[in-house]
Each structure stands twice: as C-alpha cells, then as structure tokens.
Amino acid sequence: MGVWIKQVESGSPAQRHGIEAGEKLLEINGHPIADVLDYRFYMTERRLRILLQQADGKERMVRLRKDEYEDLGLEFETYLMDRQHSCKNKCIFCFVDQMPPGMRESLYFKDDDDRLSFFFGNYITMTNLSRQEIDRIIKMRISPINISVHTTDPQLRVQMMKNPKAADSLEYIRLLCEAGIKVNTQLVLCPGINDGPYLEKSLRDLGEMYPGVQSIACVPVGLTRFREGLYPLEGYTKEGARQVIETVNAFGDQYERRLGSRLCYPADEFYLKAQWPMPDADYYGEFDQLENGVGLFASLENEIDFELQNPDGRRGSGKLCTLATGTGAGPFIQQMVDKVAGVFPDVRVQVVPIVNRYFGESITVAGLVTATDLVDQLRGKQLGDTLLIPAVMLRHEKDRFLDDQTVEEVEQALGVTVRLVENDGHDFVDALLGEKSAYE
C-alpha cells in the first residue's frame, strides 16, 4: 500500500513542510492512499496528518495546515498513481477489436476505469468493480458516473459482454442511485439484439431509477471493415434507425410529461441514418450526453445562431479556406457555413466531406477521420490559405490523428496551414472568419 512520490512542487504546502521526492505516501489522516481518488479526496481537508515512508523504510509523520482544496503539491509516476484498469469484457460490438494495425498504441488498450469516468467522463461497465469499490464511490460522493449499460436484461448483458459479472453489476446502478450518485448511461444498440423489446425494457428499467439516472444515450453500433472472425453484426438501415428513434421518443415523451425530463435520447447518428431532421436545442435539455454524440448538431447550431445575432463588428478575411469533416456531418456543416456566409459575405469556405476508407465507408463521423484519408482525398485540390478540421479528429493533446500522424505532417503533405475547430459556435464562426482560435 502507498504510492512513491516522484516530485514535490516548489512552494507547495508539501514542499514547505519538508516532504521530499523519493518518499512513499502511505496515509492521509489515517486513510490508506492507494490511488488518485484516495489522494484527491483526503487531501482536501485543512489539517492533514501525512504518514510517509522514507527510502530506508523508516516511517515519519508530517502535520500541516493548508487552505481547503489547496493542492498538496505532490506528483507521482502516473496520473492515476497506479496501473490503469483494463476492460475484462469481450463485447460483441467492441470497437477496439475492429482497429486496423498501425495506429497509436494507446488506442488498442481497452479502458474500463471508474477513476477516469469521474475525472474525464469515460464510460465504464462496472464489471471489474467490487462492492467495496462501489462503497468507496458512494463514500467519496463521486458524481456523476458514466455507465455503459447496453441492456438491463441480465442474461442478454452477459451474452453481449461475454462476462458473467455483467449481470450482477447491473445492481450497482441502483445502489449508486439510491445513495444520491448521479448516473449517465449509454446503450450501444445492435440491430436485432438489444433493440426492440429489449430496448423498451432498458428504457423502462433505467427510467424507474430517475432522478439518479439523469440521462440515457442510445448510440448505434459502429462497424469498421476489420471484423474478420468477430461476432456477425450489421449496421442500422434507414427503417431500423427510424424504429429506434420512434421507440426512444415515445419513452421520452412519457418521461417528459411525468418527470419533467425527456431522460432518453437517440444519438445524432440515428437521425442521420434515418434521414430525418435533427430536433432543436430545446429537445436536449441540459445536453448531458454531448460526448456521446447526442445533440452535437443542435448545440452547435444554437451557438452559431447566437454568434450571428451578435456579430460585434467582425468580418471575414475574404480568403478561400477548406473545411474537412466526416460524410455524416457534411450536409449539416454546409448549411452552417451558408448560414454564416449569409451574415458575413466575405466568408469563402468550401466544405469537403472525407470518405472514411481507413476504417470503412460505413464510418461517417468526423472523429474517426484519419490523416491518411485527409491527405489522400485533399492532395492536389485548391485548398486556399487554411485547412479547417474538427478538433475531435485528434487525441486529447491535439497533436496526432488516429493513424499516429501529426498535424505538422498533414500540413507538409498538403502545403497548407491546419487550423483546429472546436465543437463550439464561437470558435466555428471565428474559424470561418479567418481568426485565430482562442483554444490555441
């Protein structure tokens, strides 16, 4: 037990009280420290008793006072302070299993870590959590937690996730909700497997746990061309997508009347597959599931409309630029560009949807467009001064694409400056006007 201290920040409470790199942090106020959750939770108090182990094995106690929530100033070998928890499931729809070779190494790691759910919004299945870990989440009041449910039918969940613990861990959702922990849930829907009556059961069961369950995102399964030897799955047809939307909206209408919240939402991709218009911003409430692709278009359009109503004297540069996106978003992005150009006549932006040949043409989202496809499909075109791309094409550090190529390599290959565009109406309009991003 305990975690080795790699570095002590200069001027921090820890440094002022003589805590040194190379010592092992054992306890804070009598609580054993095993990982980042323990550390972040117990260090927030004003008065701390810190038990340390020195390099020679001797233990010592440091007592200090600091401001509440002031960082103690300790750095560790890794952010989580121990190994990242990997997924123990073998889901029939797992996207990682459909990855081609040659991508970033981190993309082949199957994450299922409750700590990353809290800090970064990752979704977890709970199948590698014990009851003791659930009790810790409740004790620390960690909220919200994002949970991949897929189905509330215990037997079907086991079949879909190929893990016998998938059934028992469903009970954890109820325990969390009863303890006042807020839960966002997602259902990755596979045609003919967990939709239809199973989808109705899932929406009904999760709705019964409101307000603990605060949102349910229904997302279509993503299928790449690399599925040899994997479970036979098919993507959603137009009619299948429409059936899902009708089912989810029927429950949503009911919940809105009874609970004052729609609670359940189809992902934008379902509307694209159904060839139906997207709902407006009011439909999505607080936009709890933007990271799951729920309400992205409506949110962006709403923000763009606000920007256009408040132009603040801005004007376009008059220079040609190119905006590349996924084929799914292409028509919508063109509409938004036309809308901006209607207010700023100097805007000259050509929209180019990029066909996803790397993963397969059934993949239409912008976030899975690679540098390989960008370069192959844009080389030789008149791109203008700048190539605009959605920031979601890059990893969190915003430097590398999924195929491990850098932004600089794309710029060199195409002979154009690349400008990232955040999923934010203000940044979208700024990008079209030729202004620098505030995020850079």
Side-chain angles (χ1 to χ4, degrees), residues 146-316:
N146 297 330
I147 298 175
S148 292
V149 180
H150 309 315
T151 179
T152 58
D153 183 277
Q155 184 176 358
L156 179 60
R157 194 169 195 251
V158 169
Q159 293 172 359
M160 292 185 70
M161 301 171 72
K162 305 299 182 184
N163 186 337
K165 293 190 67 176
D168 295 339
S169 58
L170 281 172
E171 180 61 21
Y172 292 161
I173 304 175
R174 191 172 301 278
L175 292 173
L176 293 170
C177 291
E178 290 175 351
I181 305 299
K182 298 298 182 183
V183 175
N184 294 312
T185 63
Q186 72 169 355
L187 309 173
V188 174
L189 298 181
C190 304
I193 296 177
N194 62 332
D195 54 5
Y198 287 108
L199 173 58
E200 294 176 9
K201 173 177 171 53
S202 297
L203 295 175
R204 187 178 302 110
D205 291 345
L206 293 173
E208 290 175 357
M209 288 183 268
Y210 178 86
V213 171
Q214 62 182 9
S215 66
I216 309 165
C218 298
V219 182
V221 62
L223 304 176
T224 78
R225 60 188 177 91
F226 300 95
R227 289 197 55 82
E228 185 177 352
L230 299 179
Y231 190 93
L233 290 175
E234 295 183 356
Y236 273 95
T237 63
K238 179 173 69 174
E239 290 305 317
R242 290 181 174 184
Q243 290 174 13
V244 168
I245 293 172
E246 289 173 345
T247 298
V248 176
N249 280 342
F251 276 86
D253 292 343
Q254 173 191 338
Y255 289 141
E256 191 164 42
R257 290 192 298 268
R258 183 160 58 89
L259 306 174
S261 169
R262 290 202 66 83
L263 190 60
C264 52
Y265 306 91
D268 293 0
E269 194 173 354
F270 270 119
Y271 283 95
L272 293 176
K273 289 179 180 293
Q275 298 177 17
W276 278 353
M278 299 282 177
D280 59 24
D282 291 340
Y283 169 92
Y284 293 100
E286 299 299 317
F287 289 101
D288 290 319
Q289 293 273 7
L290 280 177
E291 295 299 319
N292 242 329
V294 176
L296 279 173
F297 289 178
S299 175
L300 182 59
E301 183 170 14
N302 193 48
E303 292 171 353
I304 290 171
D305 287 343
F306 176 82
E307 294 296 320
L308 299 183
Q309 293 164 12
N310 301 273
D312 296 329
R314 292 180 291 178
R315 59 179 298 172

Side-chain angles (χ1 to χ4, degrees), residues 100-103 225-226 355-360 370 372-373 402-403:
M103 305 184 73
R225 60 188 177 91
F226 300 95
V355 177
N356 201 320
R357 299 194 176 102
Y358 196 92
F359 285 104
T370 61
T372 300
D373 281 334
L402 288 168
D403 52 358

Side-chain angles (χ1 to χ4, degrees), residues 243-421:
Q243 290 174 13
V244 168
I245 293 172
E246 289 173 345
T247 298
V248 176
N249 280 342
F251 276 86
D253 292 343
Q254 173 191 338
Y255 289 141
E256 191 164 42
R257 290 192 298 268
R258 183 160 58 89
L259 306 174
S261 169
R262 290 202 66 83
L263 190 60
C264 52
Y265 306 91
D268 293 0
E269 194 173 354
F270 270 119
Y271 283 95
L272 293 176
K273 289 179 180 293
Q275 298 177 17
W276 278 353
M278 299 282 177
D280 59 24
D282 291 340
Y283 169 92
Y284 293 100
E286 299 299 317
F287 289 101
D288 290 319
Q289 293 273 7
L290 280 177
E291 295 299 319
N292 242 329
V294 176
L296 279 173
F297 289 178
S299 175
L300 182 59
E301 183 170 14
N302 193 48
E303 292 171 353
I304 290 171
D305 287 343
F306 176 82
E307 294 296 320
L308 299 183
Q309 293 164 12
N310 301 273
D312 296 329
R314 292 180 291 178
R315 59 179 298 172
S317 67
K319 297 179 180 178
L320 175 67
C321 66
T322 298
L323 196 163
T325 187
T327 55
F332 169 78
I333 294 299
Q334 183 65 64
Q335 291 175 20
M336 295 304 101
V337 169
D338 293 343
K339 180 178 286 194
V340 174
V343 175
F344 299 101
D346 289 335
V347 164
R348 297 177 60 213
V349 178
Q350 60 178 347
V351 177
V352 180
I354 301 297
V355 177
N356 201 320
R357 299 194 176 102
Y358 196 92
F359 285 104
E361 296 186 14
S362 64
I363 301 296
T364 63
V365 295
L368 293 176
V369 171
T370 61
T372 300
D373 281 334
L374 272 177
V375 172
D376 286 350
Q377 295 174 46
L378 295 179
R379 183 183 279 120
K381 294 182 180 292
Q382 292 295 113
L383 302 177
D385 279 10
T386 308
L387 172 62
L388 309 177
I389 64 170
V392 294
M393 288 184 184
L394 304 171
R395 66 177 181 173
H396 179 72
E397 293 83 356
K398 298 180 182 178
D399 59 347
R400 289 186 178 274
F401 292 83
L402 288 168
D403 52 358
D404 211 25
Q405 295 189 49
T406 65
V407 173
E408 290 75 16
E409 287 173 325
V410 171
E411 290 179 325
Q412 184 175 5
L414 295 176
V416 68
T417 299
V418 172
R419 199 274 205 193
L420 307 184
V421 184

Side-chain angles (χ1 to χ4, degrees), residues 80 82-86 109 111-113 115-116 122:
L80 294 174
D82 74 341
R83 64 179 180 82
Q84 188 174 348
H85 297 168
S86 63
F109 180 82
D111 160 57
D112 199 11
D113 199 307
R115 299 160 302 182
L116 296 179
N122 295 21

